[in-house]
Each structure stands twice: as C-alpha cells, then as structure tokens.
Amino acid sequence: MLCTLFPRSSSEYERSCFDLELTDFCNRLQNAGYSKDNIRSHLRRLFKVLTHAKGVGADVARSSAFLHRAFGRYCTGVRLSQDFRGTEWAYGRFLSSERVAVDPQEEPSAARIH
C-alpha cells in the first residue's frame, strides 16, 4: 500500500524502522474509510514526527505525553496544529486499538509497542 500512496518516495518509508508500523496504521485508516489523500497526509506527518523524535525506534514505547510533545513541535500555526493534532489523535487511537495505549501521565518507558 505504501508503494501505491507514495510511488516516488515509498522506498524511504519502507527502509525505515517504522515501515511495519506505518503499514499497519495505513491499513487501519483505510479500513476506517479514510480517503487516500487523508491517509497519505497522516502517514507523512507521522513519519516526520517519528523520524525526528529523539530516542524513538520501532520498539520504543510512546506515552500519550510523549506523543503530545513530539507532535507539538510541529504545531506552529493554526492549520499545522489542526493537521498534526489530527494525526496525533488518529495515531493514538491506532495505538489504543493495538493494546499499547498508556496512561497520559506515564513516561515513554512505561509501555512497549509490539
């Protein structure tokens, strides 16, 4: 699916340590009825946040507080805030459905993904 959504840059996504997680998130959004444009936008923003956050790997835990700070870096205007917070919300719901949700007060080391 990543190849279809990102024909020119899919290799960048697939080579990252987040490729399986991005694919799962993509499938979840697709099954929920999101349009290809919305899925593409969410994946771009999530990839940007995950690859630029310090100490984040495929198996590194992410608390709600951590996600809020990581996505908050990119909330520099009204439009960007709406977009990045929307992705944060969708990704948080995805993590919750995968039973990796953590309490918003917990630190990133409190729970593990996968």
Side-chain angles (χ1 to χ4, degrees), residues 33 43 54 90 102 113:
L43 291 173
K54 293 181 180 175
V102 295
I113 293 181

Side-chain angles (χ1 to χ4, degrees), residues 6 10 39 53 75 82 89 103 105:
F6 303 102
S10 63
I39 293 170
C75 296
Q82 291 171 340
W89 180 84
D103 185 75
Q105 307 305 325

Side-chain angles (χ1 to χ4, degrees), residues 4 13 60 79 89:
T4 304
Y13 290 85
V60 175
R79 178 66 182 173
W89 180 84

Side-chain angles (χ1 to χ4, degrees), residues 47-112:
F47 184 71
K48 184 175 189 171
V49 168
L50 292 178
T51 56
H52 291 100
K54 293 181 180 175
V56 175
D59 293 327
V60 175
R62 297 171 201 130
S63 69
S64 297
F66 170 79
L67 291 176
H68 192 72
R69 285 190 307 271
F71 278 92
R73 277 182 76 188
Y74 301 96
C75 296
T76 58
V78 173
R79 178 66 182 173
L80 287 173
S81 292
Q82 291 171 340
D83 291 344
F84 276 89
R85 292 301 179 197
T87 299
E88 176 188 354
W89 180 84
Y91 182 61
R93 300 233 345 146
F94 164 73
L95 293 177
S96 295
S97 69
E98 296 294 314
R99 299 189 166 272
V100 294
V102 295
D103 185 75
Q105 307 305 325
E106 292 182 22
E107 289 303 311
S109 61
R112 297 200 54 84

Side-chain angles (χ1 to χ4, degrees), residues 3 21 29 35 37 52 82 106 110:
C3 291
E21 187 172 349
L29 294 175
S35 71
D37 287 339
H52 291 100
Q82 291 171 340
E106 292 182 22

Side-chain angles (χ1 to χ4, degrees), residues 10-20 22 47 51 58:
S10 63
S11 62
E12 181 181 359
Y13 290 85
E14 291 171 344
R15 283 192 318 255
S16 81
C17 64
F18 305 109
D19 71 325
L20 294 176
L22 290 169
F47 184 71
T51 56

